[in-house]
Amino acid sequence: MYTILGVIAKPLGMLLSLLYGFLHNYGLTIIIFTLIVKLCLYPLYIKQTKSTARMAEVQPKMQALQRKYANDKETLNIKMAELYKEEKFNPMGGCLPMLIQMPIIMGLFALLRNPMQYISDDSNMIFAFHESFAWIADLSQPDRWILPIIAGVATFISFSMTQALSGGGDANNQMAGMTKMMKYIFPIMILWMARSFPSGLALYWAVSQIMQIGFNIHLSTVRKKMKREAEEKRLMEKAKKK
């Protein structure tokens, strides 16, 4: 696990150390570090949102084919492939951004939980991990309530917005129920874990989720624009047929 995470955590540790060399404040360094990483991931969020929107557009045609060829799986697969080609839609398009994000998130988690493990001994950050920031006396130690509560609330808002953005309500009843349950369970888990993890890691997560809320507001606008354009295209095609 160290080797796998180290491939990502090591260069992230170099970036963290580089930023600290300019800022000389570990708490502020984590905030700027989080902003940079999230902004680098932003194109993936855009791609995922566009893929989800396209899925919503293609879904009725997919369901029609599934009903028509319910008893002929081979023909169904052929027709589905033809539909994807015709609509220029990749069903894996929404998964790829998430697959890319996960190892990065895991590397960040490993770095900020055990920074000494991934930052060289000659770094000027050796004592930085124990610095104070705002009300936190030592960023290497857990903050029992304030930061975990901020992280938990931000996670709840972010998760709820992401769920609405991805059209979670369109899923089947069982999946919708599980997603709704996770909306409450996941933030509680984050709050509980943040109470035992170093404050630096909890600070990263809180800032990350607050940024995600901002992203979701923008992505919601992008999604609405795409739906409007798709509707206009549909009406134009309908008018041409007449």
Side-chain angles (χ1 to χ4, degrees), residues 59-70 72 75-76 78-84:
Q59 192 75 29
K61 295 180 181 180
M62 292 172 59
Q63 291 173 346
L65 288 175
Q66 288 168 348
R67 288 192 296 267
K68 185 175 181 179
Y69 300 103
D72 189 349
T75 303
L76 176 61
I78 294 171
K79 293 295 182 181
M80 281 291 195
E82 290 175 354
L83 176 64
Y84 295 151

Side-chain angles (χ1 to χ4, degrees), residues 61 232-242:
K61 295 180 181 180
E232 290 173 357
K233 181 180 177 182
R234 187 183 67 81
L235 291 172
M236 287 176 64
E237 290 176 351
K238 190 175 180 180
K240 285 180 182 179
K241 290 179 180 179
K242 289 182 179 180

Side-chain angles (χ1 to χ4, degrees), residues 135-188:
W135 68 90
I136 305 165
D138 185 342
L139 283 164
S140 70
Q141 299 300 314
D143 175 34
R144 294 301 180 184
W145 288 110
I146 300 177
L147 198 53
I149 289 173
I150 294 172
V153 171
T155 300
F156 174 77
I157 296 171
S158 171
F159 195 97
S160 300
M161 293 175 73
T162 301
Q163 181 183 347
L165 192 63
S166 63
D170 298 333
N172 61 58
N173 291 336
Q174 184 178 1
M175 283 299 295
M178 289 176 62
T179 305
K180 187 176 181 180
M181 185 168 61
M182 280 303 298
K183 182 172 73 172
Y184 298 101
I185 293 176
F186 188 52
I188 293 173

